[in-house]
Amino acid sequence: MRSMVNIALPKGRLGEKTYAMLKNAGFECPSIEETNRKLVFENPEKGVRYFWVKPSDVAIYVERGSADIGIVGKDILLEYKPDVYELLDMGMGKCKMAVAAPKGYKDIPGSTIRVATKFPTIASKHYSSKGKDIDIIKLNGSIEIAPLLGLSDVIVDIVETGSTLKANNLEVIEDIVPISARMIANKAAYKFKNQEINAIRNGLEIERGEIQ
Ligand code: PRP
């Protein structure tokens, strides 16, 4: 008997786009389109069970095996390094991780830079590769406000359109890494549900070609 694949979708636009791709690939689940507060939907005929979870939690569900596969930003994979397989670059949710600072900012050589970020691991790795000392200030959102209030010198954050930086008189001073959404799989599930997971992966790869 074919086993059900448990799929963690990130709540929001990225998850909705992903579901649309899965539907087109033949893994539809009509109940998911009904508007209600339910978070789990399944279509046993197609062998899929979907969950809506917070985008930053997708990798936790997949790593621990509550979900077999999921869709997550590369930023989360780089920051938390979950022990999962990365199976496909979805070619969407494209943005970059960058260092930004107030316009006209100049780094004083030898000084410790105060860096506000939601991504302390990525920021530390970036600066240690340059041999620079930094003081990390971990925040949970609205990072752009930190240099404006004198809490930090620079920020390490996601830049998509650049409009948040612009609106706050900040500019990118260094690109760190390009980011996009990835399909990930639980390692044990990938072994035991290999055929089912690969069928979904290959369906997404074909749909990705359609949207690019
Ligand atoms: C993200 C990111 C930037 C913004 C970048 O924040 O942290 O603030 O989007 O997008 P832009 O370049 O298109 O302006 P998010 O909306 O996730 O909210 P947050 O401030 O709570 O992190």
Side-chain angles (χ1 to χ4, degrees):
M1 198 193 79
R2 197 173 56 159
S3 41
M4 293 276 274
V5 178
N6 296 305
I7 306 170
L9 290 174
K11 275 190 224 165
R13 207 161 39 113
L14 184 64
E16 274 154 29
K17 271 195 193 169
T18 303
Y19 173 69
M21 290 165 78
L22 287 160
K23 180 182 172 182
N24 291 340
F27 300 99
E28 74 274 14
C29 181
S31 61
I32 208 169
E33 288 168 51
E34 294 161 13
T35 41
N36 57 36
R37 301 286 293 168
K38 259 178 78 170
L39 297 171
V40 181
F41 303 89
E42 61 179 50
N43 184 351
E45 269 169 42
K46 298 288 177 178
V48 285
R49 183 182 294 121
Y50 292 104
F51 322 130
W52 289 115
V53 306
K54 221 173 140 65
S56 50
D57 290 340
V58 167
I60 300 172
Y61 285 90
V62 174
E63 183 178 34
R64 291 182 171 260
S66 301
D68 300 314
I69 61 174
I71 304 299
V72 63
K74 182 72 179 176
D75 51 333
I76 301 288
L77 300 179
L78 292 171
E79 182 61 30
Y80 298 101
K81 301 186 170 54
D83 189 18
V84 297
Y85 292 130
E86 189 182 314
L87 297 185
L88 186 69
D89 184 341
M90 301 286 293
M92 57 187 196
K94 286 186 185 169
C95 52
K96 66 182 178 186
M97 189 65 68
V99 183
K103 285 197 176 130
Y105 167 79
K106 292 255 176 321
D107 169 25
I108 303 163
S111 68
T112 299
I113 306 169
R114 294 171 306 152
V115 182
T117 188
K118 273 194 284 194
F119 303 97
T121 305
I122 296 174
S124 302
K125 184 167 172 247
H126 173 68
Y127 280 102
S128 72
S129 74
K130 292 155 53 101
K132 285 226 180 230
D133 280 339
I134 59 166
D135 178 11
I136 296 261
I137 300 157
K138 166 81 168 67
L139 297 177
N140 297 300
S142 302
I143 313 297
E144 291 84 357
I145 209 168
L148 305 184
L149 299 182
L151 180 65
S152 74
D153 300 306
V154 303
I155 64 172
V156 165
D157 201 11
I158 283 171
V159 180
E160 192 180 351
T161 62
S163 55
T164 312
L165 292 182
K166 203 164 169 225
N168 292 291
N169 264 314
L170 303 172
E171 61 186 6
V172 169
I173 55 173
E174 269 175 285
D175 288 349
I176 301 180
V177 65
I179 302 289
S180 58
R182 308 297 161 104
M183 174 190 171
I184 57 171
N186 173 271
K187 288 189 168 176
Y190 191 61
K191 202 163 156 192
F192 295 112
K193 301 184 185 177
N194 189 268
Q195 247 183 313
E196 294 88 339
I197 292 175
N198 275 331
I200 294 174
R201 184 213 166 274
N202 296 340
L204 283 172
E205 189 176 26
I206 291 165
E207 293 305 316
R208 181 188 67 172
E210 300 287 316
I211 58 163
Q212 275 175 348

